[in-house]
Amino acid sequence: MGIGTGIVLFVIGAILEFALNIQVSWIDLHLVGYILMIAGAVVFLLSLILMLTRRGRRTGPANDEDLL
């Protein structure tokens, strides 16, 4: 779920930065776009690292020999 969230944040940020040509007086959409792209990349990378580190761990004993 974290990888998808990171991708969605990055895409929304890219849309705000590169695709929209709207000027709003109370917020800088380009800055928000950059912030969302950075946050999306961080979430994506953290999720990927956590997923790869969990892959090598075992949750419990595989057989009776491991209990001894």
Side-chain angles (χ1 to χ4, degrees), residues 2-23:
I3 292 175
T5 304
I7 292 171
V8 167
L9 284 174
F10 192 86
V11 168
I12 292 172
I15 290 171
L16 286 176
E17 173 57 32
F18 302 117
L20 293 181
N21 194 10
I22 299 173
Q23 295 292 331

Side-chain angles (χ1 to χ4, degrees), residues 20-57:
L20 293 181
N21 194 10
I22 299 173
Q23 295 292 331
V24 182
S25 62
W26 53 276
I27 194 167
D28 185 8
L29 291 179
H30 296 289
L31 180 63
V32 172
Y34 279 125
I35 291 171
L36 286 176
M37 285 192 295
I38 292 169
V42 168
V43 168
F44 178 80
L45 290 175
L46 286 177
S47 299
L48 193 63
I49 290 169
L50 288 175
M51 184 181 70
L52 291 175
T53 57
R54 284 187 205 155
R55 181 177 290 181
R57 296 184 187 172

